[in-house]
Amino acid sequence: ISLTRWVEFLRSTRPERYPTPKNSHKPLITILLKSGHCDSKALYRSIQCIADQSYPNWELLVSVGSALKLSKLRRLVWSRDSRIKWLGGTRDNLAEKITGDYVCVVDPAIRFENSALSQHAIAISSHQPDILYSDEAVISSNTGRIQNLLLRPAFSVDYFLATAFTGLGTLIKTSLVVNQIPGYQEKSADQLSEALILTSIPNIKKALHIPDV
């Protein structure tokens, strides 16, 4: 069976709608979208992927590194959803911009399944992890077919220090992140995600892996 068909089977076994978190608190999830050098279409697709999430309690911070012509895109996005915000100056204090209970970093190549944040919110409500991550499907940009599945192991500090295996999209409890991440504008998405996790590692008591793409 092909990887694409296998993932399609997994999708068919998921409920059409995930239940709301058990307790009354619905965690706010901050997603930092770091775009270095990509075209506006790729960036828009990435933003739309977040906007289409079935879980509503999120905020998206967009940081564009290159001089892209995004005025039209910004107007479109601003008028559509107030949860989407644009980071501007290099002097921005990233910690002050993050208002969510959890934060993760992505780039325009990352696509969440529509139910991804719902699954994350349920897991947070049930287990209150300090760090949360899932598996990943690598999709060909030419054919749209799945090329590889990254099935990640249980969390290990030593293994993370060697490989940073949790990848982009790893959720970190915001209270564990240091007050200031210097030079975040100059960092790539991968570098920034690793930096946030590294600052939180000394205080991680519970890590959770969701075995799903």
Side-chain angles (χ1 to χ4, degrees):
I1 185 171
S2 70
L3 293 177
T4 300
R5 289 187 177 182
W6 173 246
V7 171
E8 287 174 351
F9 168 74
L10 290 178
R11 288 171 176 160
S12 70
T13 63
R14 294 173 183 151
E16 291 186 5
R17 191 172 186 84
Y18 282 84
T20 55
K22 292 181 180 179
N23 56 40
S24 58
H25 175 63
K26 296 179 181 179
L28 176 62
I29 298 173
T30 297
I31 302 164
L32 176 58
L33 172 58
K34 281 281 293 179
S35 175
H37 300 280
C38 75
D39 59 47
S40 57
K41 290 182 179 179
L43 186 59
Y44 179 80
R45 286 195 297 268
S46 183
I47 293 173
Q48 190 61 48
C49 171
I50 305 300
D52 288 341
Q53 288 294 304
S54 58
Y55 182 72
N57 204 22
W58 53 262
E59 66 173 358
L60 177 64
L61 307 180
V62 184
S63 175
V64 179
S66 59
L68 299 177
K69 295 180 180 179
L70 294 173
S71 58
K72 183 177 179 180
L73 175 60
R74 290 191 188 197
R75 286 196 301 270
L76 177 63
V77 171
W78 271 111
S79 63
R80 177 176 298 180
D81 200 323
S82 61
R83 296 171 295 181
I84 301 171
K85 304 163 187 176
W86 297 81
L87 298 180
T90 57
R91 296 182 181 180
D92 281 344
N93 184 338
L94 182 57
E96 292 179 354
K97 301 294 183 181
I98 297 170
T99 62
D101 302 296
Y102 287 79
V103 60
C104 71
V105 183
V106 299
D107 66 18
I110 297 295
R111 299 283 189 275
F112 286 121
E113 292 284 315
N114 289 356
S115 61
L117 295 187
S118 289
Q119 293 186 67
H120 284 37
I122 292 169
I124 290 170
S125 176
S126 300
H127 303 285
Q128 298 297 314
D130 298 312
I131 186 171
L132 173 66
Y133 61 98
S134 62
D135 299 329
E136 182 179 346
V138 180
I139 300 175
S140 168
S141 58
N142 296 322
T143 65
R145 296 181 62 82
I146 295 172
Q147 295 177 316
N148 192 17
L149 289 178
L150 303 179
L151 306 178
R152 297 184 166 108
F155 188 76
S156 160
V157 171
D158 290 338
Y159 192 42
F160 178 84
L161 294 176
T163 65
F165 71 95
T166 59
L168 293 175
T170 299
L171 287 179
I172 311 154
K173 189 177 286 186
T174 307
S175 60
L176 302 183
V177 177
V178 295
N179 292 331
Q180 176 76 17
I181 302 295
Y184 82 91
Q185 288 280 16
E186 289 74 36
K187 286 180 170 67
S188 68
D190 289 292
Q191 291 170 336
L192 182 56
S193 180
E194 290 175 25
L196 293 176
I197 297 171
L198 286 171
T199 60
S200 66
I201 275 181
N203 298 308
I204 291 178
K205 295 181 174 61
K206 182 184 289 186
L208 186 63
H209 168 230
I210 296 180
D212 198 348
V213 297

